[in-house]
Amino acid sequence: MEYSPIYQNLHVVSSSPVKNKLFVFCIMLSLWVYMIYCCVGYCSTMPSLMVSTASSKHSQHLEKVDPNRTQPRLQNEGDLESEHQEDPLDSLDPLFGASSRDLFNNENDLDSRGGEDWDEIRSEQRTLDNNVMSSLFNESGPVESKKLPQAIIIGVKKGGTRALLEFLRVHPDIRAVGAEPHFFDRNYDKGLEWYRDRMPETQEGQITMEKTPSYYVTKDVPARIHTMSPDTRLIVVVRDPVTRAISDYTQTRSKKPDIPSFESLAFKNRTTGLIDTSWSAVQIGMYAKHLQRWLQYFPKDQLLFISGERLISDPAGEMTRVQDFLGLRRVVGHKHFHFNPAKGFPCLKRPEVNSKPHCLGKTKGRIHPNIDPEVVQRLREFYQPFNRRFYQMTGHDFGWGSWS
């Protein structure tokens, strides 16, 4: 049978779409095969991702927090309870009995990180992103992993903890998270794996650190840190409690200008001079009360007390103490600091790159409001027995205030 030319042309036209579809299908199939091949090859060069996922699930079972496991080291009965009936420290117990009146310092997570510290947080995120990229292109470099912190700055608020953390981050053997994780006081129920994931990656021999100043005054934190690791090194930055309370109030007023005056918050009865110990700005400065709780779980040689005043006047000297305490080389010294008279505190220099000094956030060094001198003197008298006991417990005289 012969086909006419017209029929042949119709046959070619009708079969052409089928060939086109088959051709497109072959191309798509080839692309999919190529993409799968590339993904398999990429994953094979990064086995650590697979291992870390599996190990994190396994370690989640191994590292569940068990508060009942803690066996605290109790103090000797005579250490802190001598002269019990007449000791003003024993007559004031707002932290172990009554709740804290924190109406004007009830800061959320954003505030606890410090609005002024967002520059440091953003800087840390950029560093983290750079580390991720470097790990992709430098597979033969040192192995890095996230670890639970071996040292923690536990306090105190408005004592100088941010400055100390930034000074420490200059040291090559320190890796510290910038934002306050608040794990042991607010996020404990999220578990240790959540906490570990907040930490920066470290190499072998580097120390992981964090700072959350509210730890020092929170009742359950000592036991919880002890449960995580009884060998944790603890650093406390303390400051004249009167100046610290005023600084605390100044920070709160900068965010909430309509709060009552400092004097009205500090006193239960201004006429009689009765201090309101339920106000957190007053409570935090009762350092000896808080320290009693920490010494039930940690020996004194695992706590280092840094003077907030000397961190300003002699940062290199205080940094020497911190580096020795952590068992580090004395890297951070005088050459790393430049005093800024406008700010009133030292700024960091990086002499190896001859860079411009880096100062803390613009809201650091706020001007304090004028407080009635009689109020200041009454607060000094109130803190006197707490300070003296604190000096005895730490073996260090911080020289706060005049008692005339």
Side-chain angles (χ1 to χ4, degrees):
M1 177 178 179
E2 296 182 358
Y3 294 94
S4 69
I6 297 175
Y7 181 82
Q8 288 179 354
N9 289 338
L10 288 173
H11 178 70
V12 171
V13 171
S14 63
S15 63
S16 179
V18 175
K19 290 182 179 179
N20 289 341
K21 288 180 180 179
L22 184 61
F23 179 72
V24 172
F25 174 78
C26 291
I27 292 177
M28 292 178 65
L29 183 62
S30 301
L31 288 173
W32 276 106
V33 171
Y34 179 74
M35 290 173 65
I36 293 172
Y37 172 80
C38 291
C39 289
V40 171
Y42 178 75
C43 292
S44 66
T45 64
M46 298 183 67
S48 60
L49 294 177
M50 303 294 291
V51 173
S52 64
T53 303
S55 62
S56 66
K57 290 180 180 178
H58 176 66
S59 60
Q60 192 168 11
H61 296 286
L62 296 179
E63 293 190 45
K64 276 190 176 178
V65 180
D66 183 8
N68 296 324
R69 182 165 63 85
T70 304
Q71 296 295 329
R73 184 182 62 84
L74 297 176
Q75 292 172 298
N76 293 330
E77 195 170 349
D79 288 354
L80 297 173
E81 301 301 330
S82 58
E83 305 179 24
H84 176 77
Q85 295 180 346
E86 298 182 2
D87 193 339
L89 272 67
D90 295 327
S91 64
L92 291 169
D93 202 1
L95 296 166
F96 295 90
S99 59
S100 168
R101 181 172 63 86
D102 206 10
L103 300 177
F104 302 100
N105 285 314
N106 186 20
E107 299 176 343
N108 57 26
D109 288 334
L110 175 61
D111 290 337
S112 69
R113 291 177 179 184
E116 62 272 23
D117 297 331
W118 278 109
D119 289 339
E120 285 82 7
I121 295 170
R122 284 194 293 267
S123 174
E124 181 188 18
Q125 184 59 50
R126 287 194 295 269
T127 302
L128 187 59
D129 293 340
N130 291 337
N131 289 341
V132 171
M133 294 304 296
S134 343
S135 67
L136 292 177
F137 295 104
N138 298 287
E139 296 173 9
S140 59
V143 177
E144 294 191 345
S145 61
K146 292 187 176 184
K147 302 180 180 69
L148 294 171
Q150 296 98 358
I152 303 175
I153 300 174
I154 58 174
V156 297
K157 180 183 178 184
K158 305 310 297 178
T161 58
R162 169 57 60 184
L164 177 60
L165 185 73
E166 293 305 311
F167 297 167
L168 280 169
R169 293 172 83 179
V170 175
H171 200 291
D173 295 333
I174 290 284
R175 295 297 303 276
V177 60
E180 297 168 9
H182 282 279
F183 172 65
F184 294 103
D185 58 349
R186 300 182 190 174
N187 298 302
Y188 195 60
D189 59 334
K190 295 181 179 178
L192 285 173
E193 281 307 310
W194 179 90
Y195 186 42
R196 186 201 302 273
D197 194 50
R198 309 273 84 72
M199 297 300 117
E201 291 188 340
T202 55
Q203 300 174 8
E204 187 66 30
Q206 290 182 320
I207 294 177
T208 303
M209 291 191 67
E210 69 116 320
K211 78 133 182 135
T212 303
S214 55
Y215 287 166
Y216 186 68
V217 299
T218 305
K219 182 178 180 180
D220 296 328
V221 170
R224 290 173 174 177
I225 294 180
H226 187 273
T227 298
M228 178 189 74
S229 173
D231 299 321
T232 306
R233 293 270 170 175
L234 308 169
I235 301 175
V236 189
V237 187
V238 289
R239 182 183 183 187
D240 182 331
V242 177
T243 307
R244 196 222 66 81
I246 297 172
S247 179
D248 197 338
Y249 172 80
T250 303
Q251 176 178 324
T252 304
R253 194 177 71 164
S254 70
K255 300 171 185 177
K256 303 173 184 177
D258 57 341
I259 65 172
S261 68
F262 179 88
E263 291 83 355
S264 63
L265 292 170
F267 289 95
K268 280 186 176 180
N269 188 319
R270 178 72 184 273
T271 304
T272 62
L274 182 62
I275 301 294
D276 188 349
T277 58
S278 68
W279 185 31
S280 66
V282 170
Q283 238 182 56
I284 291 172
M286 299 158 64
Y287 302 138
K289 270 290 184 186
H290 310 296
L291 183 55
Q292 292 182 50
R293 188 166 51 241
W294 286 92
L295 292 178
Q296 292 178 7
Y297 294 90
F298 295 93
K300 192 170 70 173
D301 60 7
Q302 270 181 242
L303 288 95
L304 177 67
F305 298 91
I306 293 297
S307 166
E309 288 84 7
R310 278 192 283 277
L311 198 59
I312 295 174
S313 63
D314 182 19
E318 290 300 278
M319 284 302 300
T320 296
R321 295 182 60 224
V322 176
Q323 291 170 102
D324 290 349
F325 175 71
L326 296 175
L328 297 171
R329 298 171 291 148
R330 293 182 177 180
V331 173
V332 185
H334 291 283
K335 62 183 180 180
H336 289 93
F337 299 103
H338 168 76
F339 187 80
N340 184 326
K343 284 278 187 181
F345 52 75
C347 301
L348 277 172
K349 294 190 301 182
R350 294 186 180 269
E352 62 276 7
V353 294
N354 196 27
S355 62
K356 180 181 176 181
H358 167 70
C359 296
L360 294 178
K362 61 184 180 181
T363 56
K364 295 294 183 182
R366 296 185 183 93
I367 298 176
H368 291 178
N370 292 323
I371 307 296
D372 187 337
E374 291 184 5
V375 173
V376 173
Q377 181 61 27
R378 177 67 192 99
L379 281 171
R380 293 203 181 283
E381 293 169 356
F382 166 79
Y383 280 122
Q384 180 178 3
F386 293 97
N387 291 343
R388 285 178 174 170
R389 178 65 62 86
F390 187 65
Y391 298 167
Q392 293 169 2
M393 295 169 76
T394 61
H396 189 78
D397 186 342
F398 291 88
W400 293 321
S402 58
W403 315 118
S404 57

